[in-house]
Amino acid sequence: MRRRQGRLRDGGSGPAVSGTLIVGAGLAAVRTAEQLRRNGFDGPLTIVGAEDHLPYDRPPLSKQMLRGEVASVALKPAGFYEDNQITVRLGCPARAVDVSGHSLELADGQVLDYDQLVIATGLVPNRITAFGDLDGICVLRSLDDCTALRTRAASARRAVVVGAGFIGCEVAASLRTLGVQVVLVEPQAAPLAGVLGEQTGALIARLHRDEDVDVRTGVTVASVSGDKAVASVTLSDGSAIDADLVVVGIGSRPATEWLLGSDIDVADGVVCDEAGRTSAPDVWAIGDVASWRDATGTQVRVEHWSNVAEQAKVLVAAMLESEAATSPGVPYFWSDQYDVKIQCLGRPRAGDIVHLAEDDGRRFLAYYERDGVLVAVVAAGIPEKVRTARAAIGAGVAIAEVLQPA
């Protein structure tokens, strides 16, 4: 396929840029499209999405949407795309990209030319194929997944949630709020131990146990049995649990399979420089699927909602060759579980030294130390202490200054 010949300029004074395609119809796609229009790009702009829904917000899927508290999670109304001359092609998964020919092939065989291509395909949930295809085995990544799980939860008596990461913990909390008995199964020593460490993970386990969730750690699911639907779950320690719902929350992987053979470098996501450029000319990547190079030269893939808006500013500035935007700063993410908002600022690691500064039995505040420096703050129900730590983390303040302020 030949490259598009007609070209429009971004406002008339910048470089010629037209035929911009954004593959993926989530938050990263919307933020990128917004920034392009906001910065004067008036060329053809198309968002290509695999799902049949207009771009929507994913964090509420495991919380408000699952509990039936909101009717819509659309990021923008349909009129937004019309008003901003953004074409949205739904139900069109990408199959392959030809970087030399500047073309994108869709699963239905259609081929679209591009001058600039932005990869924003996000993540694909991991599944456990050994569980089989019994009714009542669910994952949660998409809006359709959420709808199916909510329908199941309406009649479920006991659910087994496999994996106590953020999604698993949020689903467990939502199901418990809906009155479903919940068994939360985690192979590590505590929920979120791989991300926040065992000490903080134990505090989160305490939160769930206080809500009558049966938290089982250090075990895995050996098998799921039933006739046509889930009836029982057997754990690796031999214990059997009567259950009619199983939710698999064992993480996700970057949606990059369609890039195989494209000459675009992929390694735990699409490999990018510090502004989102990939190894292929005129191809960019953003959001959960993208591994950006940070200030230390390390490739980092950040799966946090707040990171996307900052990345979009940087990527679009580089694409339009306009004034450089500030690179994404201190990462921030949060998780709502029951009536507690768990917030994290920085990049904690499981091996960091954790200083528990406050703990009233439900709310807590923890500072993370690495090489004598404050690298992260994790708090549950104490938002003001998180906000004030941003500058200290960014500046690499010594932990002693935080624990014993002047």
Side-chain angles (χ1 to χ4, degrees):
M1 180 65 69
R2 292 181 300 169
R3 188 173 179 178
R4 180 191 299 270
Q5 297 299 310
R7 299 172 67 83
L8 299 174
R9 292 184 179 274
D10 61 327
S13 60
V17 182
S18 71
T20 298
L21 298 183
I22 304 174
V23 186
L27 178 69
V30 171
R31 292 291 180 262
T32 301
E34 281 183 312
Q35 285 298 317
L36 282 165
R37 291 302 191 223
R38 191 172 294 163
N39 284 272
F41 174 67
D42 59 5
L45 179 57
T46 301
I47 294 175
V48 179
E51 297 182 53
D52 293 323
H53 308 286
L54 282 174
Y56 58 85
D57 206 13
R58 293 189 187 275
L61 298 183
S62 57
K63 301 181 281 287
Q64 299 96 328
M65 195 69 179
L66 179 55
R67 297 192 298 265
E69 297 169 358
V70 296
S72 172
V73 288
L75 287 163
K76 299 287 184 180
F80 165 82
Y81 304 99
E82 182 177 353
D83 293 343
N84 287 278
Q85 296 183 306
I86 300 169
T87 300
V88 182
R89 300 180 64 130
L90 301 175
C92 300
R95 176 188 290 169
V97 58
D98 177 1
V99 298
S100 61
H102 278 63
S103 65
L104 176 74
E105 181 182 356
L106 303 182
D108 63 3
Q110 295 184 73
V111 177
L112 306 177
D113 289 344
Y114 68 83
D115 279 342
Q116 301 286 338
L117 178 71
V118 181
I119 299 169
T121 44
L123 304 173
V124 177
N126 294 325
R127 298 174 183 266
I128 302 177
T129 56
F131 286 1
D133 57 357
L134 294 173
D135 285 346
I137 299 178
C138 302
V139 295
L140 180 57
R141 174 66 187 171
S142 70
L143 180 56
D144 289 342
D145 292 337
C146 179
T147 301
L149 178 55
R150 187 174 62 199
T151 299
R152 291 282 181 185
S155 59
R157 182 177 58 85
R158 177 181 288 118
V160 174
V161 178
V162 185
F166 283 109
I167 291 295
C169 285
E170 289 174 358
V171 168
S174 291
L175 292 177
R176 191 71 197 97
T177 301
L178 291 171
V180 181
Q181 297 177 42
V182 177
V183 180
L184 182 59
V185 178
E186 170 55 51
Q188 298 187 83
L192 293 162
V195 180
L196 304 179
E198 291 184 18
Q199 184 175 348
T200 303
L203 300 178
I204 295 171
R206 179 186 66 188
L207 173 65
H208 285 273
R209 288 185 173 119
D210 285 347
E211 298 289 340
D212 293 327
V213 171
D214 183 355
V215 181
R216 311 274 188 102
T217 58
V219 293
T220 59
V221 173
S223 64
V224 178
S225 59
D227 185 8
K228 295 181 179 180
V230 172
S232 178
V233 175
T234 302
L235 303 184
S236 57
D237 61 5
S239 58
I241 303 167
D242 291 335
D244 46 14
L245 175 61
V246 172
V247 184
V248 179
I250 57 171
S252 303
R253 64 187 186 278
T256 57
E257 290 86 352
W258 65 283
L259 295 173
L260 293 175
S262 67
D263 295 326
I264 296 174
D265 287 346
V266 174
D268 186 32
V270 180
V271 179
C272 304
D273 69 4
E274 67 283 350
R277 297 181 186 86
T278 73
S279 58
D282 304 320
V283 180
W284 312 73
I286 184 173
D288 296 346
V289 75
S291 174
W292 281 33
R293 186 167 64 236
D294 69 10
T296 69
T298 304
Q299 294 297 136
V300 178
R301 191 170 58 80
V302 180
E303 299 180 12
H304 303 322
W305 191 93
S306 59
N307 181 68
V308 171
E310 296 180 22
Q311 280 191 336
K313 294 176 184 177
V314 175
L315 185 153
V316 168
M319 181 186 292
L320 300 182
E321 299 180 11
S322 58
E323 184 176 349
T326 304
S327 296
V330 179
Y332 168 79
F333 63 90
W334 74 95
S335 175
D336 294 312
Q337 299 176 32
Y338 308 106
D339 61 341
V340 177
K341 182 178 290 293
I342 299 169
Q343 298 172 288
C344 176
L345 193 64
R347 292 192 176 95
R349 296 178 185 170
D352 291 339
I353 299 172
V354 178
H355 301 271
L356 189 59
E358 296 183 32
D359 180 17
D360 68 359
R362 192 172 182 86
R363 304 187 310 157
F364 63 82
L365 172 68
Y367 295 112
Y368 284 66
E369 172 191 351
R370 191 182 314 143
D371 299 325
V373 172
L374 175 70
V375 294
V377 174
V378 177
I382 312 178
E384 63 278 4
K385 297 294 180 69
V386 176
R387 289 193 296 267
T388 58
R390 183 180 293 273
I393 294 172
V397 169
I399 192 68
E401 295 183 32
V402 178
L403 299 178
Q404 299 177 356

